[in-house]
Amino acid sequence: MTSSILFFAAALITLIGAALLWRDAKQPHDHKNTNIASTIASLMAVAIGTNVWAIHLLESVTTEGINFTLATSTAVFTLIVQVVYTFGILRHGIQGLGLFLLPLTAIPLLLTPILPEAHAPNWVHTSSLLQTGHLLLALISYAVLTLAAIHALMQILLDRALKKKHSFKLIQALPSLVEIERHMIAQVKVATGLIAVSIITGLLWQWVQYQHFALFSHKVLLAVFTLAVLIILLIKRNQASWPTRIASRAVLTAYVLFILAYFGVKLINSWIN
């Protein structure tokens, strides 16, 4: 069984979970499935296991290090997001996040086998434990910031609906603005710490490997800009000087910058070359 088939299977299982969530969101409150959380958690466990199997078949771990191909990076990033989400279901139950997150995580699983140069060896080949740790920290940062970005989208959607006094069933399936913001800010705090550490480890690796810092590379600059946006956001929210709409847009801005820092530029270079 090839990794492509397994990635497709993981995406299909994820989409089934998304369909169940959307169907349940459209039901009246007294007709909602009381076992939906355990059902989704079970489906996600199967999808996660399938994704892990597919990553294993890519044979990215070698005796000389780890080959972070575009396929491996995308699959591991998706895996981390789904693992965090599944733990969230088990701890907090269904909070509306999966309505958006599950379809979005199915997309990279479907695209992984056909990404340009996705399986080409040495796309990024780690040569030390420091570099491997740096890349893993970056991927975890992406995952946590993805959750924050989806909460930001939920916040924008709910805020607009409340201002226009439109209360359709999807809005009713979402948690309150206060709860969404609480989760978003908590994830922003974690992402800020992880990104800061990933920048430091990346610079340390550059010094150990090359005896100089590539401070003006696109990855470093975009990561620093991302960190700056998140720090400003946390300061402004602590001072209560930024309204909800600005905070959510700041999170989305930081997310776009961080995606471009690694996946975006690599993907564009792969298409160009």
Side-chain angles (χ1 to χ4, degrees):
M1 185 178 293
T2 66
S3 59
S4 298
I5 296 174
L6 289 171
F7 283 130
F8 178 80
L12 182 61
I13 296 168
T14 302
L15 288 174
I16 291 172
L20 291 176
L21 284 178
W22 277 89
R23 186 183 68 177
D24 188 65
K26 295 178 181 179
Q27 298 295 325
H29 184 74
D30 55 347
H31 285 79
K32 289 186 178 296
N33 186 357
T34 56
N35 297 320
I36 188 68
S38 58
T39 301
I40 298 300
S42 299
L43 285 171
M44 293 308 301
V46 176
I48 289 168
T50 306
N51 193 5
V52 170
W53 188 5
I55 294 171
H56 171 71
L57 291 180
L58 293 177
E59 298 181 347
S60 298
V61 181
T62 68
T63 56
E64 299 178 354
I66 299 177
N67 284 325
F68 275 92
T69 64
L70 184 53
T72 303
S73 301
T74 304
V76 171
F77 158 72
T78 307
L79 175 67
I80 295 170
V81 172
Q82 292 190 335
V83 167
V84 174
Y85 172 69
T86 304
F87 275 111
I89 291 176
L90 296 175
R91 182 175 179 179
H92 303 291
I94 299 297
Q95 297 290 324
L97 178 64
L99 293 169
F100 305 94
L101 183 140
L102 295 190
L104 289 175
T105 54
I107 294 173
L109 291 173
L110 289 171
L111 295 179
T112 294
I114 60 174
L115 289 172
E117 299 182 15
H119 305 275
N122 296 323
W123 195 66
V124 177
H125 184 79
T126 61
S127 56
S128 67
L129 183 61
L130 185 60
Q131 187 186 14
T132 301
H134 161 67
L135 289 172
L136 288 175
L137 277 172
L139 289 173
I140 296 172
S141 302
Y142 278 115
V144 177
L145 197 54
T146 296
L147 296 174
I150 296 175
H151 274 103
L153 288 172
M154 292 166 59
Q155 193 175 52
I156 291 173
L157 180 63
L158 186 56
D159 183 58
R160 288 181 177 178
L162 291 175
K163 287 181 178 179
K164 294 181 180 180
K165 298 181 179 180
H166 290 167
S167 183
F168 46 92
K169 291 182 180 179
L170 174 60
I171 295 300
Q172 295 173 357
L174 299 180
S176 66
L177 273 175
V178 173
E179 194 170 356
I180 291 175
E181 184 175 26
R182 180 171 58 84
H183 285 295
M184 183 184 75
I185 295 300
Q187 290 154 0
V188 166
K189 289 179 180 178
V190 174
T192 302
L194 289 171
I195 292 171
V197 175
S198 71
I199 292 173
I200 293 171
T201 55
L203 292 174
L204 286 175
W205 170 77
Q206 288 178 0
W207 181 257
V208 171
Q209 188 73 16
Y210 304 109
Q211 284 73 53
H212 70 85
F213 298 123
L215 295 177
F216 297 102
S217 68
H218 66 269
K219 286 192 292 186
V220 175
L221 288 175
L222 288 170
V224 170
F225 290 155
T226 301
L227 184 62
V229 171
L230 294 178
I231 290 175
I232 293 171
L233 166 63
L234 291 175
I235 292 173
K236 291 295 185 179
R237 291 308 292 168
N238 187 54
Q239 296 173 346
S241 59
W242 271 8
T244 297
R245 64 180 185 279
I246 296 180
S248 55
R249 284 169 173 76
V251 172
L252 294 176
T253 300
Y255 184 65
V256 171
L257 288 172
F258 202 43
I259 285 291
L260 288 174
Y262 186 69
F263 288 102
V265 175
K266 285 289 185 181
L267 191 58
I268 292 170
N269 288 337
S270 297
W271 277 327
I272 293 175
N273 299 324

